[in-house]
Amino acid sequence: MKKLLLISSALIIMLFAFTGCGSNNEQAAGSSSSAKTVLKIGATPVPHAEILEQVKDDLAKEGIDLQIQEFNDYVQPNMALNDKELDANFFQHIPYLETFNAEHNMDLVNAGGIHIEPMGLYSHKVKKLDELKNNAEIAIPNDPSNGGRALLLLQQAKLITLKDGVGVKATVQDIVDNPKNLKIKEIEAAQLPRSLDDVDAAVINTNFAVQANLVPAKDALVIEDASSPYVNIIAVRKGDENRPEIKKLVAALQSEKIKKFIEEKYKGAIVPAF
């Protein structure tokens, strides 16, 4: 009788042990299935971070925890990406990326184009281009690619003429005709909206213009049209463009949902590039 009791007790203990193991395995499986892949992306606040916020929930459903880190300059997001503090960034166009790579010996690449931000010329002192006086002071971005782009816009407005063929690499030294003797002042891109009270006009990137409550379609004296080649991209380290989570991020940003959001939110100040 005692032997039977001992055997029964042993069987009960074994049954509980197996049941417990099964429970722990189920919990572990549940924990694993609910785990998300963290994707850290750097972005300037407007419009890039705003656009990224629109896809956070969509990516969460695909197992991706999109973590957005905001930057207010054009240097640190690339430095952080190169140093593997970020998985991607979203703030720049291809000419800027190419220039940055060359100057800093980096190998960051384009994972997908999202939108175009037409650059514009703004002023707090004049309402029309022809009101700009001789010797007027015009501020432009001080980084090479955006500076060249700003000079091309001033040429488009017939305010200056540049050497033939200089394109986006244009510098102030490439101005060959300046009928109003405009004084070109180079300032960090993020500071340009604040310069409007100190200069006669400033060429400002749309993200900083919108952030400063300027409406490009209404406030710009002249603006690039939608054929601008300066597409804002998702940048990653070379080789990471094929990571599944990066592909899902780009697909989410190149969706009809985001196209509609850009068109309705920014009303022509920003143009979808897909």
Side-chain angles (χ1 to χ4, degrees):
M1 186 70 177
K2 288 181 179 179
K3 288 183 178 179
L4 287 173
L5 287 172
L6 288 171
I7 293 170
S8 298
S9 298
L11 288 171
I12 291 169
I13 290 169
M14 290 175 65
L15 179 62
F16 274 111
F18 281 116
T19 303
C21 288
S23 176
N24 289 337
N25 287 339
E26 287 172 7
Q27 289 176 359
S31 173
S32 176
S33 64
S34 63
K36 287 184 168 59
T37 300
V38 173
L39 190 63
K40 295 181 180 180
I41 183 165
T44 45
V46 180
H48 305 86
E50 291 180 343
I51 295 172
L52 288 168
E53 287 288 347
Q54 303 305 307
V55 300
K56 282 189 74 170
D57 290 344
D58 299 324
L59 291 173
K61 294 174 184 176
E62 297 194 55
I64 298 171
D65 177 13
L66 185 66
Q67 298 182 3
I68 304 165
Q69 183 176 344
E70 293 189 4
F71 293 83
N72 284 300
D73 72 287
Y74 286 166
V75 175
Q76 292 308 310
N78 277 341
M79 301 300 288
L81 177 58
N82 187 69
D83 292 341
K84 299 185 178 180
E85 296 169 10
L86 299 171
D87 297 295
N89 66 40
F90 180 31
F91 76 96
Q92 65 195 317
H93 50 63
I94 294 172
Y96 181 86
L97 176 66
E98 291 175 345
T99 300
F100 198 96
N101 275 338
E103 291 180 348
H104 295 83
N105 194 29
M106 292 182 182
D107 203 4
L108 307 179
V109 299
N110 170 21
I114 310 304
H115 69 270
I116 297 166
E117 300 177 11
M119 185 177 267
L121 176 67
Y122 300 86
S123 176
H124 282 174
K125 298 181 179 178
V126 302
K127 299 295 184 184
K128 297 178 181 179
L129 278 176
D130 58 14
E131 293 176 5
L132 284 171
K133 297 179 180 178
N134 290 339
N135 301 305
E137 192 171 38
I138 310 293
I140 67 171
N142 66 356
D143 61 274
S145 61
N146 281 304
R149 181 182 180 185
L151 292 171
L152 287 173
L153 180 64
L154 295 179
Q155 178 171 253
Q156 175 188 319
K158 303 188 186 306
L159 293 172
I160 62 171
T161 302
L162 298 167
K163 289 179 184 175
D164 289 341
V166 291
V168 298
K169 295 182 179 180
T171 68
V172 174
Q173 286 69 42
D174 293 315
I175 298 173
V176 295
D177 189 25
N178 185 358
K180 289 193 173 186
N181 195 33
L182 300 175
K183 309 299 181 185
I184 308 297
K185 184 176 182 179
E186 296 174 286
I187 298 176
E188 184 183 353
Q191 303 303 318
L192 285 166
R194 298 179 188 176
S195 76
L196 285 174
D197 290 329
D198 301 318
V199 299
D200 295 286
V203 181
I204 305 175
N205 294 80
T206 290
N207 61 312
F208 292 128
V210 172
Q211 201 170 332
N213 297 317
L214 293 166
V215 181
K218 182 182 73 173
D219 296 328
L221 301 178
V222 62
I223 195 168
E224 293 173 325
D225 59 30
S227 65
S228 169
Y230 294 87
V231 177
N232 278 226
I233 62 170
I234 298 296
V236 297
R237 293 180 295 277
K238 188 174 182 179
D240 283 359
E241 64 271 29
N242 294 317
R243 284 169 54 185
E245 57 270 31
I246 296 294
K247 286 183 172 292
K248 288 179 180 179
L249 170 65
V250 172
L253 290 170
Q254 292 179 340
S255 65
E256 283 300 314
K257 171 185 173 179
I258 295 304
K259 182 177 181 181
K260 184 176 180 182
F261 172 78
I262 290 173
E263 290 171 346
E264 293 181 354
K265 171 77 173 177
Y266 304 110
K267 302 185 185 305
I270 295 169
V271 182
F274 51 89

